[in-house]
Amino acid sequence: MYALVFLCLYGIASARQVYFHGRPNPHVGKELPEVSMNVSQMIAYNGYPVENHDVTTDDGYILSIQHIPYGRHDKCKDVPSKPIVFLQHGLLCSSSNWVANLPNESFAFILADQCFDVWLGNMRGNTYGKRHVKYSVHSDEFWDFSFDEMAKYDLPAMINYVTKVTGQPTLYYAGHSQGTMIGFIEYGRNPELIKKVKAFYALAPVSTVTYMKGALKYLSYFTPELEEFFKIFGNRDFLPSNEILRILSKLLCGHEVVRDVCSDILFLIAGLDTKQLNETRLPIYISHTPAGTSVKNLIHFAQLHRSGKFQMYDYGSEEKNQKHYGQGTPPEYDVSSVAVPTALYWGGNDDLADPKDVKSLMKKLPHQMYNKFIPEWNHLDFIWALDSAPLVYDDVIRHIRSKDMEDMS
């Protein structure tokens, strides 16, 4: 059974490599321009100014983050001291998530047109986080990380960079999926970082994943064997975005007959809500997501499901954990220590941030401002849904403006 699963996984990886050298049929479909663009090109294509900034973490990873200083047609360009909103993507994703839809549907564009100073973060190991001051992206050392390190190093590095460059002492933080997870970790233990975050908007919030469903749940059944398998075959990154994914999106996802096939791939992890899926944008979603992460990070998620705890990476033995943590078991993260005012937006059809896990999280959060439940939504609806602007983004903006007014009074 295990061997069959591993052979399937290896076969998929091999197929990607084979088709990487192929070429899409120029007569099939009409490509959406953003399919072949990087995130900065996507932003510029839609008429927005964009800056790229390199942020180096304390442990040497170089993260490329994007800045949208104002809206289209110079809207809000001359507005002084615009509030900063920092957007952080989720698991297997990148900053492209926030600009993958039309300008009136994408959170980053909506914020820029509403006179916010918008910054888009990226995590180590994704499309825009594959550089290190010392290690090659082809080395084991480069890929030796999980969300533990993203919270400890990546998040503080990016937020500290933004506040330093802008000269503003504080910002608003909105995260999706894993982007909420690292917030729940670091905003509960990093006093200096906490001072810089005025409010935390958690979209599809993740801490424990005890009740998760979908592909990641089934992956957890094979965690020890999967770890050994990838060690043997030398695979260090998991589902990177590359040319084969772009080719597949061009060949397949642009056609009505197979759009459901492409959407099913997304829903394997996220849950099902086809009513909210903009099928015409599928080629863009598929070409930019998944954007990659480490095998260790996926194994860490699987460990959380098996343990039922929100804890650091388990190195597999008391001796190894003792070496890393000074104790035989991984330390647990304490969400009851989260000191940033927090709002949660969660869905009833979310296979990763299951409602039972979210309800458990809400009971522990000490500074919860409010929460908004959308019964029909899945995990990806919070970044791509047709109604994401009226149901979530506009709501976040109203609360930010209200909080700004309170702070000034």
Side-chain angles (χ1 to χ4, degrees):
M1 173 84 176
Y2 290 159
L4 180 61
V5 172
F6 298 151
L7 285 172
C8 289
L9 287 170
Y10 189 67
I12 291 170
S14 300
R16 286 181 173 177
Q17 294 173 5
V18 170
Y19 283 101
F20 177 84
H21 299 288
R23 294 182 179 180
N25 186 338
H27 302 293
V28 178
K30 184 178 180 181
E31 177 186 331
L32 293 169
E34 295 101 318
V35 166
S36 301
M37 295 178 179
N38 62 36
V39 64
S40 297
Q41 292 168 334
M42 292 168 70
I43 295 168
Y45 172 79
N46 282 282
Y48 293 82
V50 59
E51 302 168 359
N52 281 291
H53 295 254
D54 284 345
V55 177
T56 303
T57 67
D58 284 348
D59 61 341
Y61 286 82
I62 303 171
L63 312 174
S64 176
I65 68 175
Q66 288 74 46
H67 178 209
I68 308 176
Y70 50 88
R72 284 191 297 177
H73 312 304
D74 291 341
K75 185 177 181 181
C76 307
K77 183 177 182 179
D78 298 323
V79 175
S81 300
K82 293 186 286 290
I84 299 171
V85 180
F86 189 95
L87 302 180
Q88 183 56 54
H89 66 76
L91 175 65
L92 287 168
C93 295
S94 76
S95 56
S96 67
N97 288 168
W98 306 110
V99 296
N101 280 332
L102 298 175
N104 64 330
E105 299 170 331
S106 299
F107 199 10
F109 294 149
I110 292 170
L111 286 166
D113 286 333
Q114 289 289 324
C115 298
F116 290 93
D117 189 13
V118 185
W119 291 79
L120 312 178
N122 281 297
M123 290 286 106
R124 62 184 63 197
N126 81 355
T127 306
Y128 306 100
K130 290 189 175 180
R131 291 178 291 160
H132 194 279
V133 298
K134 179 180 178 182
Y135 301 129
S136 164
V137 72
H138 303 295
S139 67
D140 290 335
E141 292 84 357
F142 181 94
W143 294 101
D144 186 18
F145 65 81
S146 74
F147 60 78
D148 285 341
E149 287 74 25
M150 296 176 193
K152 182 178 180 179
Y153 297 109
D154 297 0
L155 183 60
M158 292 186 294
I159 290 180
N160 289 337
Y161 179 90
V162 170
T163 54
K164 181 179 179 180
V165 168
T166 61
Q168 293 200 48
T170 59
L171 53 75
Y172 293 95
Y173 180 90
H176 172 248
S177 183
Q178 182 183 259
T180 71
M181 174 182 277
I182 60 175
F184 293 132
I185 293 171
E186 206 63 14
Y187 299 150
R189 67 182 184 186
N190 189 329
E192 293 304 312
L193 190 66
I194 290 166
K195 294 176 185 176
K196 298 180 180 181
V197 182
K198 298 180 73 172
F200 172 17
Y201 299 90
L203 315 184
V206 178
S207 55
T208 59
V209 289
T210 306
Y211 299 100
M212 75 172 179
K213 298 178 284 292
L216 288 182
K217 174 181 178 179
Y218 296 105
L219 181 68
S220 71
Y221 298 155
F222 308 106
T223 302
E225 294 81 7
L226 187 63
E227 189 171 17
E228 288 303 314
F229 173 80
F230 280 112
K231 284 181 181 177
I232 293 170
F233 285 96
N235 290 295
R236 306 176 184 98
D237 53 338
F238 188 93
L239 292 177
S241 177
N242 55 32
E243 188 62 24
I244 179 54
L245 294 179
R246 295 188 180 92
I247 290 172
L248 288 175
S249 72
K250 295 175 188 176
L251 291 175
L252 300 178
C253 301
H255 298 273
E256 292 183 2
V257 175
V258 290
R259 278 178 182 164
D260 287 342
V261 176
C262 293
S263 65
D264 286 345
I265 295 171
L266 297 176
F267 295 146
L268 282 174
I269 290 177
L272 182 65
D273 184 11
T274 53
K275 293 180 180 178
Q276 284 292 329
L277 184 67
N278 186 345
E279 293 184 351
T280 62
R281 308 296 286 183
L282 268 173
I284 298 171
Y285 305 157
I286 299 296
S287 65
H288 293 278
T289 307
T293 190
S294 67
V295 171
K296 184 176 180 179
N297 194 38
L298 268 293
I299 290 172
H300 196 171
F301 270 86
Q303 289 178 354
L304 296 191
H305 176 69
R306 291 166 67 95
S307 69
K309 299 177 181 179
F310 187 31
Q311 63 184 19
M312 300 183 76
Y313 187 83
D314 189 343
Y315 285 91
S317 70
E318 287 190 19
E319 181 182 1
K320 291 180 180 178
N321 285 328
Q322 187 73 34
K323 180 180 178 181
H324 282 87
Y325 306 124
Q327 61 184 59
T329 57
E332 291 189 49
Y333 291 116
D334 183 11
V335 295
S336 67
S337 297
V338 174
V340 175
T342 304
L344 295 92
Y345 293 80
W346 51 300
N349 201 24
D350 193 327
D351 280 359
L352 184 53
D354 186 275
K356 296 187 188 71
D357 284 309
V358 178
K359 289 177 182 177
S360 176
L361 167 66
M362 287 192 292
K363 292 177 182 177
K364 302 171 187 175
L365 284 175
H367 300 286
Q368 186 182 158
M369 297 184 292
Y370 62 91
N371 76 86
K372 183 172 183 178
F373 178 60
I374 307 175
E376 300 83 10
W377 274 26
N378 71 24
H379 201 66
L380 294 173
D381 283 335
F382 293 91
I383 53 173
W384 289 333
L386 290 168
D387 292 332
S388 55
L391 292 182
V392 176
Y393 304 156
D394 293 347
D395 195 67
V396 172
I397 289 171
R398 282 194 299 271
H399 281 92
I400 291 177
R401 294 204 190 284
S402 176
K403 187 164 183 58
D404 261 3
M405 292 291 289
E406 289 177 11
D407 292 344
M408 288 189 297
S409 61

